[in-house]
Amino acid sequence: MVTGLLLSQRSFLPAWLPHIHSSATFAQSTERRCRRWLDNPALDPTAIYGPLVTRALRDWGGHTLILALDTSVLFEKFCLIRISVLFWGRAVPLVSRVLEHPSAQVGTAQLLPVLAEVKGLLDFLGQHQVRLLADRGFCDTQLMAWLRVCGWHYRIRIKSSLILAAPDGQRLCKVGEVRLSPRETRCVHNVTLTGQHFGPVHVALGRPLDGPEQWQVVSDEPTSIETFAEYGERFQIEEGFLDEKSGLFGLEDSKLRDAASLERLILVLAVATLLLVSEGVQIVQRGDRRVVDPHWQRALSYLKIGLRAVQYALSRGQAVFLRLTLQGAPDPEPLSGRKRPHAVPQTTLEVGWQLVFRSPS
């Protein structure tokens, strides 16, 4: 099934059939076999994918593992919950869950079982240096408390309606009441959030030059101007959704309309992503990138380099997918000309728990 997906680049079973080798005489028999696999309730995607992704992560080393949490709506009926490893400009799926839920907004009670699966995989690896990134839809003190118990760090965008208070409970203001000028940043340390006074936490507030909307990020570690860059890595998971849904794998072509079957189909996509990224990494490390990439400097993601490398190798009868690997070391050949989603504010004001209002210098 992974072979059919990679060679057809469509999540549509009939498109896979010419690429699947089996003992079946008729294409209908092969398609029926794939559908039975996708419909099989005895198949656990985590039990299948977990050993593959943990094998790849054995090369991670002692570096901090950056995770991104996000959701995506499928066919206006299902919600895909995804936690990915952010790796050299690409989000590699770690755990995925599909719910029959027509909104991208999900509760913490629905997220915690997914996060528990992630923690189980990382504990197996002995990986405890973890930082989770999430958008403001996941700004929940119950989630932050769970992350604190796990010993994970986090950078989560927060809503303007949240209340900031001093450690002694004195109300300071709502987040949205802090008005910033363009390119101004303020870092607020050792405060609590909401009427429940969850904390202490640290907040970074900033307004980009190119828009009126402020960035508001909460962290369990002291914030600085770098907090925005750390949070900005989260956008890699949105690029991954784009690749799956309408780009590389065409998930929107799927005719499946059952949550469990879609979750197993997404397992196939996750395996394909892991294989292609690993292949792309090895091509670059061998110094063979320019064999498949016409750019002088790397301008393609490791996923697309991996896909081109597979197409190149198969057209010449060469071997592919020799090793699964995700490495925590810095990218040896960073993507050239990569666009940032927003301009990072430059003027910084760091204070303690007490807010100070002033014009940017």
Side-chain angles (χ1 to χ4, degrees):
M1 293 170 72
V2 172
T3 301
L5 173 67
L6 290 177
L7 295 181
S8 68
Q9 295 183 41
R10 295 183 64 194
S11 299
F12 183 52
L13 295 188
W16 298 356
L17 302 182
H19 310 291
I20 297 178
H21 291 200
S22 75
S23 58
T25 303
F26 301 110
Q28 186 183 52
S29 301
T30 302
E31 182 178 1
R32 190 181 302 117
R33 181 185 178 192
C34 293
R35 290 193 181 278
R36 282 200 300 265
W37 192 92
L38 292 171
D39 294 338
N40 188 349
L43 293 174
D44 178 9
T46 301
I48 297 172
Y49 185 66
L52 297 175
V53 72
T54 52
R55 177 173 291 275
L57 287 170
R58 286 176 184 172
D59 295 332
W60 195 264
H63 304 274
T64 299
L65 191 71
I66 312 297
L67 303 179
L69 165 65
D70 207 351
T71 57
S72 182
V73 175
L74 304 174
F75 313 117
E76 300 182 352
K77 183 178 180 182
F78 303 100
C79 178
L80 167 61
I81 303 173
R82 165 71 55 75
I83 299 178
S84 294
V85 176
L86 301 187
F87 171 74
W88 294 358
R90 177 56 54 183
V92 178
L94 189 55
V95 174
S96 303
R97 181 69 49 81
V98 178
L99 308 175
E100 189 165 347
H101 183 73
S103 170
Q105 296 291 326
V106 294
T108 301
Q110 295 165 303
L111 294 174
L112 290 183
V114 182
L115 287 162
E117 286 191 21
V118 173
K119 187 176 187 303
L121 294 175
L122 300 187
D123 286 350
F124 172 76
L125 287 166
Q127 176 60 254
H128 304 294
Q129 288 184 257
V130 180
R131 182 191 303 149
L132 181 79
L133 312 178
D135 201 6
R136 55 189 160 197
F138 305 99
C139 179
D140 183 85
T141 56
Q142 184 183 355
L143 173 60
M144 296 179 204
W146 190 91
L147 296 173
R148 176 183 291 174
V149 171
C150 292
W152 294 3
H153 302 297
Y154 56 83
R155 308 286 188 269
I156 301 175
R157 194 170 184 181
I158 56 178
K159 300 175 182 178
S160 298
S161 58
L162 287 187
I163 297 173
L164 296 180
D168 61 4
Q170 178 185 355
R171 186 185 187 278
L172 299 177
C173 66
K174 288 185 178 181
V175 174
E177 292 174 355
V178 182
R179 300 297 181 184
L180 303 179
S181 301
R183 299 177 65 85
E184 183 182 2
T185 303
R186 297 185 185 180
C187 295
V188 188
H189 297 154
N190 299 314
V191 294
T192 64
L193 294 177
T194 73
Q196 301 172 356
H197 301 295
F198 176 83
V201 296
H202 312 277
V203 177
L205 308 173
R207 181 179 171 187
L209 182 64
D210 57 353
E213 187 177 15
Q214 294 184 171
W215 280 34
Q216 301 156 170
V217 180
V218 64
S219 167
D220 67 309
E221 299 176 292
T223 53
S224 69
I225 196 170
E226 294 301 321
T227 302
F228 298 107
E230 293 168 350
Y231 170 79
E233 295 181 46
R234 188 198 69 82
F235 290 93
Q236 296 170 33
I237 194 172
E238 296 185 358
E239 295 175 3
F241 283 141
L242 183 62
D243 279 333
E244 287 186 348
K245 294 175 70 173
S246 59
L248 193 61
F249 296 136
L251 181 57
E252 294 180 342
D253 291 338
S254 168
K255 302 297 182 181
L256 300 179
R257 296 298 184 270
D258 170 77
S261 298
L262 275 170
E263 191 168 307
R264 295 184 193 97
L265 175 61
I266 287 169
L267 162 65
V268 178
L269 272 63
V271 173
T273 299
L274 179 60
L275 290 171
L276 290 181
V277 171
S278 294
E279 187 74 6
V281 167
Q282 293 168 81
I283 288 292
V284 171
Q285 289 181 335
R286 291 201 304 264
D288 294 335
R289 177 188 61 80
R290 292 188 60 197
V291 174
V292 296
D293 180 3
H295 302 91
W296 284 98
Q297 296 181 320
R298 185 170 75 88
L300 299 175
S301 68
Y302 282 96
L303 180 76
K304 293 185 178 178
I305 291 174
L307 178 61
R308 293 192 181 192
V310 168
Q311 294 168 337
Y312 179 91
L314 293 181
S315 69
R316 290 159 176 79
Q318 300 173 359
V320 293
F321 303 141
L322 301 179
R323 183 178 174 220
L324 291 173
T325 181
L326 297 175
Q327 302 165 16
D331 189 347
E333 192 173 347
L335 197 63
S336 63
R338 185 173 181 82
K339 295 181 180 179
R340 290 183 177 271
H342 296 280
V344 178
Q346 297 298 320
T347 302
T348 305
L349 171 65
E350 297 195 18
V351 297
W353 60 261
Q354 184 178 6
L355 285 176
V356 176
F357 298 89
R358 76 177 191 193
S359 300
S361 56

